Amino acid sequence: MNNLTTIRDFFQLSLSDVATKLDLTTAELTAIENGEVQPAPLMWQRLAEFYADQFHVPALPEQTEPIHFRLSVDYLMNIGLTMNDLLALKWYFNNTRPELGLFAMALFSQDEARIIERLTDELPEILDQYAGYILLNHDGTLNAFIDERNDNKVSDWRLVLYKRDGLLVDITDQLIYFDDLINYSLI
């Protein structure tokens, strides 16, 4: 399953309009949207770029776009953590395992020290600051977080249970099943 039909409907674009702009037949686009045909990586990228362009509203320059909003191939392929995922995880840990600590999103420095740069445990703030969508990669790595409101500062992100400074548990690898992901609570 992918999100292509959802996002085409969101922008109220017809199948034929999108197919024409991407130089596809409507039958080819329908097959891709229905998951009957797996497009090549370059086609995924073309789809991501096409729909990302739809989000820009040059007539409204005073409006700030969501931080680090990138319509990605991961989103189109429906890979990643959604707002529903985050709501469910926060509810679970806060209501069934409060002794483990606060469910939070942590940004770590990319140097060897892995110092916490920012810790956010309020869900509305997580959804606002991170656009409710955290990107994952197929190879068991995470996309770095780029803070476009802070000179494009690049940080590593993790989902953590936070008790206090020096006592946190990185649960990212357990929640998203990445065997090779570095667990920052073990460093």
Side-chain angles (χ1 to χ4, degrees):
M1 173 169 165
N2 61 52
N3 291 324
L4 292 171
T5 304
T6 302
I7 198 152
R8 183 171 54 79
D9 291 344
F10 175 80
F11 289 115
Q12 300 176 344
L13 297 168
S14 72
L15 183 70
S16 60
D17 286 344
V18 175
T20 300
K21 293 194 191 249
L22 294 171
D23 198 27
L24 297 169
T25 66
T26 55
E28 289 171 328
L29 182 57
T30 300
I32 292 171
E33 287 183 350
N34 292 338
E36 298 162 2
V37 171
Q38 190 63 255
L42 286 176
M43 177 52 72
W44 277 119
Q45 191 61 41
R46 283 180 57 208
L47 287 159
E49 290 170 2
F50 171 77
Y51 284 117
D53 285 344
Q54 308 305 308
F55 274 101
H56 295 290
V57 185
L60 302 172
E62 70 279 359
Q63 290 193 349
T64 305
E65 290 185 6
I67 189 166
H68 192 49
F69 184 86
R70 302 214 196 318
L71 188 63
S72 67
V73 170
D74 292 329
Y75 172 76
L76 296 181
M77 293 177 73
N78 198 22
I79 297 169
L81 294 176
T82 65
M83 284 190 276
N84 285 342
D85 295 329
L86 291 172
L87 284 163
L89 293 170
K90 185 156 181 65
W91 178 88
Y92 173 79
F93 286 111
N94 287 355
N95 291 291
T96 64
R97 303 298 306 272
E99 74 280 4
L100 295 177
L102 294 171
F103 178 76
M105 169 96 170
L107 293 183
F108 288 85
S109 62
Q110 288 197 310
D111 59 17
E112 297 290 322
R114 302 285 186 215
I115 296 168
I116 293 181
E117 298 171 339
R118 189 187 323 170
L119 184 81
T120 310
D121 66 349
E122 293 296 323
L123 195 57
E125 190 177 339
I126 290 173
L127 299 180
D128 175 60
Q129 293 297 308
Y130 308 104
Y133 199 85
I134 304 165
L135 301 179
L136 314 175
N137 294 322
H138 291 289
D139 62 355
T141 62
L142 307 175
N143 285 332
F145 179 76
I146 302 170
D147 190 344
E148 294 172 347
R149 296 179 187 164
N150 186 18
D151 295 323
N152 290 326
K153 175 149 183 34
V154 178
S155 305
D156 289 329
W157 63 270
R158 292 293 189 274
L159 299 171
V160 299
L161 294 174
Y162 180 82
K163 291 285 264 187
R164 64 179 183 276
D165 288 345
L167 182 54
L168 66 85
V169 179
D170 177 355
I171 56 175
T172 317
D173 61 339
Q174 297 165 45
L175 295 179
I176 53 182
Y177 312 110
F178 283 164
D179 296 331
D180 298 330
L181 189 66
I182 297 169
N183 186 322
Y184 283 0
S185 58
L186 301 176
I187 295 178

